Amino acid sequence: MLWPDVPRVGFGPDEPHHLDACVGWMQSRPRDMEGYVAGYRRAAVALFRAAEAGDGSPDYFVFPLAFLWRHHLELALKDVIATGRAVAGDEWGFPAHHRLIDLWREARPHVAQCGDPAAPELANVEANLREFEGIDPGSDAFRYPLNRDRTDRSLSNAPEHVNLRALHIAMEALANFLSAVRSELGCRLDFNMQAEAEMQRAHDQNE
């Protein structure tokens, strides 16, 4: 059993090198959220696979798995908002709060521009987000056993049983949808930036 009997550095390179994670690539791209968005999704997938393989009780896996998925959804929505704002010619950025439905309300106009604004997928996405927010409105219920006021248990609105496979499938569907929206918005942003660059070059040549 490992024990803190000797000094150990937790953050830094070490052996084996294939486990050295590069943090710098995200630091050098301040408006790129891909590492965070994809990272929490990949962690959720890995954790679900461990639960599915019987590597532990679902009673313990449910808390980190649900949090990983919730944080992924929050980041994905904020990424859509930030990119959508940029496509619209506004300043890049996103709200600082954690409320999924409020984020969805701001993201939805950008989402609707990428396809049929009356598509049933939009209602399905919103239903899942409302379900999640009803159980964990502040992104802390799956992280702490008590509510923010420490007056009661957290997850008071959660059902007694949560099937990890059903949760995972629903979240994968949402993640795929938001990823497709973000990809479309990214293409539009790249097109706009390229068009602006070409216009600037033409302007410079005419001076």
Side-chain angles (χ1 to χ4, degrees), residues 9 12-20:
V9 175
D14 205 335
E15 298 285 349
H17 289 306
H18 76 276
L19 291 179
D20 282 351

Side-chain angles (χ1 to χ4, degrees), residues 103-172:
L103 292 172
W104 171 246
R105 288 194 184 105
E106 183 167 349
R108 184 162 180 161
H110 304 301
V111 174
Q113 292 179 3
C114 297
D116 181 3
E121 287 86 349
L122 275 69
N124 296 335
V125 169
E126 182 168 333
N128 279 137
L129 292 174
R130 287 189 179 279
E131 180 185 29
F132 219 141
E133 182 156 289
I135 293 171
D136 185 8
S139 190
D140 55 2
F142 284 103
R143 292 189 292 147
Y144 299 101
L146 299 176
N147 61 20
R148 289 193 175 189
D149 297 331
R150 298 186 295 280
T151 58
D152 197 3
R153 300 291 297 187
S154 62
L155 298 174
S156 59
N157 293 329
E160 185 175 356
H161 295 95
V162 176
N163 183 277
L164 299 190
R165 184 174 184 274
L167 171 65
H168 188 72
I169 289 174
M171 295 302 104
E172 281 275 36

Side-chain angles (χ1 to χ4, degrees), residues 3-202:
W3 196 253
D5 52 337
V6 297
R8 291 186 176 91
V9 175
F11 289 87
D14 205 335
E15 298 285 349
H17 289 306
H18 76 276
L19 291 179
D20 282 351
C22 179
V23 179
W25 75 281
M26 286 304 306
Q27 301 302 101
S28 64
R29 303 160 71 178
R31 293 189 175 184
D32 188 345
M33 299 176 65
E34 171 64 16
Y36 287 83
V37 175
Y40 279 93
R41 179 178 183 175
R42 293 184 184 192
V45 170
L47 189 60
F48 172 73
R49 287 176 179 169
E52 193 176 37
D55 290 348
S57 169
D59 295 351
Y60 293 97
F61 279 124
V62 64
F63 305 111
L65 179 64
F67 170 72
L68 288 170
W69 272 123
R70 193 197 189 285
H71 199 54
H72 166 78
L73 293 177
E74 179 182 327
L75 290 171
L77 286 168
K78 289 179 175 180
D79 198 14
V80 166
I81 291 169
T83 309
R85 287 180 180 180
V87 170
D90 299 327
E91 184 178 357
W92 186 96
F94 51 83
H97 64 76
H98 308 289
R99 299 183 299 275
L100 293 178
I101 294 303
D102 287 345
L103 292 172
W104 171 246
R105 288 194 184 105
E106 183 167 349
R108 184 162 180 161
H110 304 301
V111 174
Q113 292 179 3
C114 297
D116 181 3
E121 287 86 349
L122 275 69
N124 296 335
V125 169
E126 182 168 333
N128 279 137
L129 292 174
R130 287 189 179 279
E131 180 185 29
F132 219 141
E133 182 156 289
I135 293 171
D136 185 8
S139 190
D140 55 2
F142 284 103
R143 292 189 292 147
Y144 299 101
L146 299 176
N147 61 20
R148 289 193 175 189
D149 297 331
R150 298 186 295 280
T151 58
D152 197 3
R153 300 291 297 187
S154 62
L155 298 174
S156 59
N157 293 329
E160 185 175 356
H161 295 95
V162 176
N163 183 277
L164 299 190
R165 184 174 184 274
L167 171 65
H168 188 72
I169 289 174
M171 295 302 104
E172 281 275 36
L174 263 64
N176 288 337
F177 178 84
L178 293 174
S179 177
V181 170
R182 173 59 179 82
S183 179
E184 173 63 21
L185 289 172
C187 289
R188 296 186 182 198
L189 181 60
D190 289 343
F191 177 84
N192 290 350
M193 293 175 64
Q194 182 177 357
E196 289 178 6
E198 291 176 355
M199 290 179 60
Q200 185 61 48
R201 283 196 296 269

